Coordinates of all heavy atoms in Angstrom, one line a residue:
V155 N -8.9 7.7 19.3 CA -9.2 8.8 18.5 C -10.7 8.9 18.3 O -11.4 7.8 18.0 CB -8.5 8.7 17.1 CG1 -9.0 9.8 16.1 CG2 -7.1 8.6 17.2
L156 N -11.3 10.1 18.5 CA -12.8 10.3 18.3 C -12.9 11.3 17.1 O -12.4 12.4 17.2 CB -13.4 10.8 19.5 CG -15.0 11.1 19.4 CD1 -15.7 9.8 19.1 CD2 -15.5 11.8 20.6
V157 N -13.6 10.9 16.0 CA -13.8 11.8 14.9 C -15.2 12.4 15.2 O -16.2 11.7 15.5 CB -13.9 11.0 13.6 CG1 -14.3 11.9 12.5 CG2 -12.5 10.4 13.3
V158 N -15.3 13.8 15.1 CA -16.4 14.5 15.4 C -16.9 15.2 14.1 O -16.1 16.1 13.6 CB -16.3 15.5 16.5 CG1 -17.5 16.3 16.8 CG2 -15.7 14.8 17.8
G159 N -18.0 14.9 13.6 CA -18.5 15.4 12.3 C -19.5 16.5 12.6 O -19.2 17.4 13.4
L160 N -20.6 16.6 11.8 CA -21.6 17.6 12.0 C -23.0 17.0 12.4 O -23.4 17.2 13.5 CB -21.7 18.3 10.6 CG -22.5 19.7 10.6 CD1 -22.1 20.5 9.4 CD2 -24.0 19.6 10.7
A161 N -23.6 16.2 11.4 CA -24.9 15.6 11.7 C -25.1 14.6 10.6 O -24.5 14.6 9.4 CB -26.0 16.7 11.7
P162 N -25.9 13.6 10.8 CA -26.3 12.6 9.7 C -26.8 13.3 8.5 O -27.6 14.2 8.5 CB -27.3 11.7 10.4 CG -27.1 11.9 11.8 CD -26.7 13.3 12.0
A163 N -26.5 12.7 7.3 CA -27.1 13.1 6.1 C -28.5 12.6 5.9 O -28.7 11.4 6.3 CB -26.2 12.7 4.9
A164 N -29.4 13.3 5.3 CA -30.8 12.8 5.2 C -30.9 11.5 4.5 O -31.7 10.7 4.9 CB -31.6 13.9 4.5
H165 N -30.2 11.3 3.4 CA -30.3 10.1 2.6 C -29.0 9.2 2.8 O -28.9 8.2 2.1 CB -30.5 10.4 1.1 CG -31.8 11.2 1.0 ND1 -33.0 10.6 1.0 CD2 -31.9 12.5 0.7 CE1 -34.0 11.6 0.8 NE2 -33.3 12.7 0.7
G166 N -28.1 9.5 3.7 CA -27.0 8.8 4.1 C -27.2 8.0 5.3 O -27.9 7.0 5.4
A167 N -26.7 8.6 6.5 CA -26.8 7.9 7.8 C -28.2 7.8 8.2 O -28.6 6.9 8.9 CB -25.9 8.6 8.8
N168 N -29.1 8.8 7.9 CA -30.5 8.7 8.2 C -31.2 7.6 7.6 O -32.2 7.0 8.0 CB -31.2 10.0 7.8 CG -32.6 10.1 8.4 OD1 -32.9 10.0 9.6 ND2 -33.6 10.3 7.5
R169 N -30.6 7.1 6.4 CA -31.1 5.9 5.7 C -30.5 4.6 6.2 O -31.2 3.6 6.4 CB -30.8 6.1 4.2 CG -31.1 4.9 3.3 CD -30.9 5.2 1.8 NE -29.6 5.6 1.5 CZ -28.6 4.7 1.1 NH1 -28.9 3.4 1.2 NH2 -27.4 5.2 0.9
T170 N -29.2 4.6 6.4 CA -28.5 3.4 6.7 C -28.4 3.1 8.2 O -28.2 1.9 8.7 CB -27.1 3.4 6.2 OG1 -26.3 4.5 6.8 CG2 -27.1 3.7 4.7
G171 N -28.5 4.2 9.1 CA -28.4 4.0 10.5 C -26.9 3.9 11.0 O -26.7 3.6 12.2
R172 N -26.0 4.3 10.2 CA -24.5 4.3 10.6 C -23.9 5.6 10.2 O -24.0 6.1 9.0 CB -23.8 3.1 10.2 CG -22.4 3.0 10.7 CD -21.8 1.6 10.5 NE -21.4 1.4 9.2 CZ -21.1 0.3 8.7 NH1 -21.2 -0.8 9.4 NH2 -20.7 0.1 7.4
M173 N -23.1 6.2 11.0 CA -22.4 7.5 10.8 C -21.6 7.4 9.5 O -20.9 6.4 9.2 CB -21.4 7.8 11.9 CG -22.1 8.3 13.2 SD -22.7 9.9 13.0 CE -23.5 10.1 14.6
F174 N -21.8 8.4 8.7 CA -21.0 8.6 7.4 C -21.2 7.4 6.4 O -20.2 7.1 5.7 CB -19.5 8.8 7.7 CG -19.2 10.1 8.3 CD1 -18.9 10.2 9.7 CD2 -19.2 11.3 7.5 CE1 -18.6 11.5 10.2 CE2 -18.9 12.5 8.1 CZ -18.6 12.7 9.4
T175 N -22.3 6.8 6.5 CA -22.5 5.6 5.7 C -23.6 5.8 4.6 O -24.7 6.2 5.1 CB -22.8 4.3 6.5 OG1 -21.6 4.0 7.3 CG2 -23.2 3.1 5.7
G176 N -23.4 5.6 3.4 CA -24.4 5.6 2.4 C -24.5 7.0 1.6 O -25.4 7.2 0.9
D177 N -23.5 7.8 1.7 CA -23.4 9.0 0.9 C -22.0 9.3 0.4 O -21.1 8.6 0.9 CB -24.0 10.2 1.7 CG -23.2 10.5 2.9 OD1 -22.0 10.3 3.0 OD2 -23.8 11.0 3.9
R178 N -21.8 10.3 -0.4 CA -20.5 10.5 -1.0 C -19.5 11.1 0.0 O -18.3 10.8 -0.2 CB -20.7 11.5 -2.2 CG -21.4 10.9 -3.4 CD -21.5 11.7 -4.6 NE -22.2 11.1 -5.7 CZ -22.4 11.7 -6.9 NH1 -21.9 12.9 -7.1 NH2 -23.0 11.0 -7.8
S179 N -20.0 11.8 0.9 CA -19.1 12.3 2.0 C -18.5 11.1 2.7 O -17.2 11.1 3.0 CB -19.8 13.2 2.9 OG -20.3 14.4 2.3
G180 N -19.3 10.2 3.1 CA -18.8 9.0 3.8 C -17.9 8.1 2.9 O -17.0 7.5 3.4
D181 N -18.2 8.1 1.6 CA -17.3 7.3 0.7 C -15.9 7.9 0.8 O -15.0 7.1 0.7 CB -17.9 7.4 -0.8 CG -19.2 6.7 -1.0 OD1 -19.6 5.9 -0.1 OD2 -19.8 6.9 -2.0
V182 N -15.8 9.2 0.7 CA -14.5 9.8 0.8 C -13.9 9.5 2.1 O -12.6 9.2 2.2 CB -14.6 11.3 0.6 CG1 -13.3 12.1 0.9 CG2 -15.1 11.7 -0.8
L183 N -14.6 9.6 3.3 CA -14.0 9.4 4.6 C -13.6 8.0 4.8 O -12.4 7.7 5.2 CB -15.0 9.8 5.6 CG -14.5 9.7 7.1 CD1 -13.2 10.5 7.4 CD2 -15.6 10.1 8.0
F184 N -14.4 7.1 4.5 CA -14.0 5.6 4.7 C -12.9 5.2 3.8 O -12.1 4.4 4.2 CB -15.3 4.7 4.6 CG -16.1 4.7 5.8 CD1 -17.2 5.4 6.0 CD2 -15.7 3.9 6.9 CE1 -18.0 5.3 7.2 CE2 -16.4 3.8 8.1 CZ -17.6 4.5 8.1
A185 N -12.9 5.6 2.6 CA -11.7 5.3 1.7 C -10.4 5.8 2.3 O -9.4 5.0 2.3 CB -11.9 6.0 0.3
A186 N -10.5 7.0 2.9 CA -9.2 7.6 3.6 C -8.9 6.8 4.8 O -7.7 6.5 5.1 CB -9.4 9.0 3.8
L187 N -9.9 6.4 5.6 CA -9.7 5.6 6.9 C -9.1 4.3 6.5 O -8.2 3.8 7.2 CB -11.0 5.4 7.6 CG -11.6 6.7 8.2 CD1 -13.1 6.4 8.7 CD2 -10.7 7.1 9.4
H188 N -9.5 3.7 5.4 CA -9.0 2.4 5.0 C -7.4 2.6 4.5 O -6.7 1.8 4.9 CB -9.8 1.8 3.8 CG -9.3 0.5 3.3 ND1 -9.3 -0.6 4.1 CD2 -8.7 0.2 2.1 CE1 -8.8 -1.6 3.4 NE2 -8.5 -1.2 2.2
R189 N -7.2 3.6 3.8 CA -5.9 3.9 3.3 C -4.9 4.1 4.4 O -3.7 3.7 4.4 CB -5.8 5.1 2.4 CG -6.4 4.9 1.0 CD -6.0 6.0 0.1 NE -6.5 7.4 0.5 CZ -7.6 7.9 0.2 NH1 -8.5 7.3 -0.5 NH2 -7.9 9.1 0.7
T190 N -5.3 4.7 5.5 CA -4.5 5.0 6.6 C -4.6 4.0 7.7 O -4.0 4.2 8.8 CB -4.8 6.5 7.2 OG1 -6.2 6.6 7.4 CG2 -4.4 7.5 6.1
G191 N -5.2 2.9 7.6 CA -5.2 1.8 8.5 C -6.2 1.8 9.6 O -6.2 1.0 10.5
W192 N -7.2 2.7 9.6 CA -8.3 2.8 10.6 C -9.4 1.9 10.3 O -10.1 1.5 11.3 CB -8.7 4.2 10.9 CG -7.7 5.2 11.2 CD1 -7.1 6.1 10.4 CD2 -7.1 5.3 12.6 NE1 -6.3 6.9 11.2 CE2 -6.2 6.4 12.5 CE3 -7.3 4.7 13.8 CZ2 -5.5 6.8 13.6 CZ3 -6.6 5.1 14.9 CH2 -5.7 6.2 14.7
A193 N -9.7 1.6 9.1 CA -11.0 0.9 8.7 C -10.7 -0.4 7.9 O -9.7 -0.4 7.2 CB -11.8 1.8 7.8
S194 N -11.5 -1.4 8.1 CA -11.3 -2.7 7.5 C -11.5 -2.8 6.1 O -11.1 -3.7 5.4 CB -12.1 -3.7 8.3 OG -13.5 -3.5 8.1
Q195 N -12.2 -1.9 5.6 CA -12.6 -1.9 4.1 C -12.8 -0.5 3.6 O -13.1 0.4 4.4 CB -13.8 -2.8 3.9 CG -15.1 -2.3 4.7 CD -16.1 -3.5 4.7 OE1 -15.8 -4.6 5.0 NE2 -17.3 -3.2 4.3
P196 N -12.7 -0.2 2.3 CA -12.7 1.2 1.8 C -14.1 1.8 1.5 O -14.2 3.0 1.3 CB -11.9 1.0 0.5 CG -12.2 -0.4 0.0 CD -12.3 -1.2 1.3
L197 N -15.1 1.0 1.6 CA -16.5 1.4 1.2 C -17.5 0.9 2.3 O -17.5 -0.2 2.7 CB -16.9 0.9 -0.1 CG -18.2 1.5 -0.6 CD1 -18.1 3.1 -0.9 CD2 -18.6 0.8 -2.0
S198 N -18.2 2.0 2.9 CA -19.2 1.7 3.9 C -20.6 1.9 3.2 O -21.0 3.1 2.9 CB -19.0 2.6 5.0 OG -20.0 2.4 6.1
T199 N -21.4 0.9 3.1 CA -22.6 0.9 2.4 C -23.9 0.7 3.2 O -24.9 1.3 2.9 CB -22.7 -0.1 1.2 OG1 -22.5 -1.4 1.8 CG2 -21.6 0.2 0.2
S200 N -23.7 -0.1 4.3 CA -24.9 -0.3 5.2 C -24.4 -0.7 6.5 O -23.2 -1.1 6.7 CB -25.7 -1.4 4.6 OG -25.1 -2.7 4.6
A201 N -25.2 -0.7 7.5 CA -24.9 -1.1 8.8 C -24.5 -2.5 9.0 O -23.8 -2.9 10.0 CB -26.0 -0.7 9.8

């Protein structure tokens, strides 16, 4: 499965260096990925 978004957030991925990491949009996505078994943890804060 390949998830295709839009672009890094200025103070999210542009800060952390990882897709959807470090902003509220990413918090929502990674929490859902964890609930559905795709991600190892519910919160992505840094690379």
Side-chain angles (χ1 to χ4, degrees):
V155 176
L156 180 65
V157 175
V158 181
L160 193 162
H165 301 281
N168 187 56
R169 173 174 59 88
T170 65
R172 188 164 73 195
M173 287 284 175
F174 288 106
T175 296
D177 60 29
R178 291 185 178 180
S179 295
D181 292 347
V182 170
L183 179 59
F184 275 102
L187 289 170
H188 180 68
R189 288 193 301 269
T190 52
W192 298 105
S194 62
Q195 54 198 53
L197 187 62
S198 180
T199 58
S200 70

